[in-house]
Amino acid sequence: MKKILCVCLSSTLQRTVSFKSLVLTNVNRSEHYNYYASGKAINSARVLTQLEKGCAISVCPIGQKNQQLFTELAARDDLEIRTVTIPGATRECWTLLDRTAGTTTEIVVGEPEIDAPEEINTAEIKLLKLINNAFDEVDGVLLAGSRPGIWHDDLYATIAGMAKDNGKFFLADYIGKDMEKTLKTVVPDVIKINDEEFCKTFLDDVAVSEEALKSAITEKSTELGNIIIVTRGVKSTFAAKNGEFAECPTEKVVPLNTTACGDSFNAGFIYEYLNNGDFISALKKGTWCAARNAELETPGAIR
């Protein structure tokens, strides 16, 4: 069994609330709701665990004020998490599902800034130790999600460098300055982002045609000598491996909750690629996981 380390620096308590219909400016009464341990890499870990129990380890920080709830929710989903406690509370996110319209609305609530630099520095050192200690157990590393401002701006590049120094397959799902700093240190084996993020990161935020996007992905993959995957919502996924372009169609499904479809894609791709080494099969597995996730209420789930 191949094992994957999922690193999540933006841990989230996810409340998914289902409405028969949702009308802005009105009082809306829900049918039901559920809570989940979440965050991009945590969502991926849940899918990986459902693909093969025991194949994922997660490292994440959690807020002291609501850490018990987070750990209880993670245990409920059989997630193996290794945590560092930080001051304050883990941020919350609400997903509002309109069952009549078939829409998903996400509301992300950031916690107040933490003014405790010494405690955060200590927590960051502990996080890096947890990550380093896990390398002997895993074959690949998945680092996904935005970097909260409490962490040093070179932290993602540091984690990427540690993973590659330890010979681990590394999938990066983040953008902007964190990606720029990473690429100055090492090249991730896989950069997986959506089309808007690709344009922001590599094309000076200029939207381009489909043909120009295909060319840009192929050229960047050639330049970096890696795999680049660009998801495009319901449209086909564009990808390239060492400059060789591939396109993978998406599945047509009736969506219930589209939250974490990208995270589910990441899980399916890295799982299949590490186990079988086939690029096209891994794209198809990622696509399959994303489709199954869209059909379910739980964010980051395939069953």
Side-chain angles (χ1 to χ4, degrees):
M1 176 176 64
K2 300 294 185 180
K3 295 193 74 168
I4 297 101
L5 172 63
C6 300
V7 181
C8 182
L9 299 185
S10 51
S11 307
T12 305
L13 280 166
Q14 175 84 45
R15 189 195 299 256
T16 300
V17 191
S18 179
F19 298 86
K20 183 176 181 181
S21 62
L22 186 64
V23 182
L24 294 179
T25 74
N26 282 16
V27 174
N28 293 271
R29 300 190 185 280
S30 67
E31 296 179 315
H32 63 271
Y33 76 89
N34 280 299
Y35 249 141
Y36 305 96
S38 189
K40 287 182 67 64
I42 298 293
N43 294 334
S44 296
R46 182 161 34 246
V47 173
L48 285 163
T49 298
Q50 292 177 3
L51 285 168
E52 185 173 6
K53 190 172 181 178
C55 78
I57 300 168
S58 300
V59 168
C60 63
I62 50 176
Q64 184 271 333
K65 291 182 179 179
N66 50 14
Q67 61 180 332
Q68 182 175 345
L69 176 59
F70 191 96
T71 55
E72 287 174 352
L73 292 171
R76 181 195 66 187
D77 289 343
D78 292 323
L79 299 179
E80 182 182 346
I81 62 169
R82 301 173 187 181
T83 64
V84 169
T85 302
I86 60 174
T90 302
R91 72 173 184 174
E92 296 201 19
C93 175
W94 283 266
T95 298
L96 311 182
L97 305 179
D98 185 328
R99 303 298 293 270
T100 300
T103 58
T104 302
T105 301
E106 276 199 87
I107 301 172
V108 180
V109 182
E111 292 299 325
E113 288 294 325
I114 300 171
D115 185 20
E118 290 303 318
E119 291 182 67
I120 295 301
N121 286 341
T122 299
E124 190 169 296
I125 293 169
K126 290 180 179 178
L127 271 172
L128 291 174
K129 286 182 178 178
L130 284 177
I131 292 168
N132 190 63
N133 291 342
F135 285 143
D136 287 342
E137 304 173 61
V138 302
D139 304 280
V141 179
L142 189 162
L143 173 58
S146 57
R147 175 182 53 81
I150 61 173
W151 307 111
H152 287 112
D153 61 8
D154 62 351
L155 182 57
Y156 277 30
T158 298
I159 294 170
M162 289 168 58
K164 296 305 295 175
D165 286 346
N166 281 273
K168 305 306 174 184
F169 185 84
F170 183 68
L171 187 154
D173 182 0
Y174 52 88
I175 62 171
K177 294 188 181 300
D178 289 315
M179 179 55 69
E180 292 172 11
K181 285 181 175 289
T182 295
L183 291 174
K184 290 177 181 178
T185 304
V186 295
V187 175
D189 296 282
V190 181
I191 296 173
K192 182 271 177 185
I193 48 182
N194 65 37
D195 49 355
E196 181 182 353
E197 292 168 340
F198 182 87
C199 292
K200 283 183 178 179
T201 303
F202 297 114
L203 299 179
D204 297 322
D205 204 14
V206 176
V208 296
S209 67
E210 282 199 352
E211 290 306 312
L213 181 60
K214 291 178 182 179
S215 296
I217 293 167
T218 303
E219 290 170 8
K220 182 56 67 172
S221 173
T222 301
E223 174 192 336
L224 297 177
N226 75 340
I227 294 171
I228 295 181
I229 302 170
V230 178
T231 53
R232 304 187 303 137
V234 298
K235 297 179 181 178
S236 60
T237 297
F238 291 166
K241 179 182 180 182
N242 298 325
E244 187 170 337
F245 182 80
E247 183 172 356
C248 185
T250 56
E251 286 190 37
K252 292 183 179 180
V253 300
V254 178
L256 174 57
N257 183 4
T258 55
T259 304
C261 282
D263 309 330
S264 302
F265 181 101
N266 289 345
F269 181 90
I270 195 170
Y271 177 86
E272 185 72 14
Y273 196 82
L274 284 178
N275 279 285
N276 298 314
D278 186 277
F279 178 47
I280 301 302
S281 293
L283 289 174
K284 291 179 179 178
K285 189 70 169 184
T287 300
W288 182 86
C289 288
R292 301 292 76 75
N293 177 79
E295 295 173 323
L296 301 172
E297 187 171 300
T298 302
I302 55 174
R303 57 177 171 79

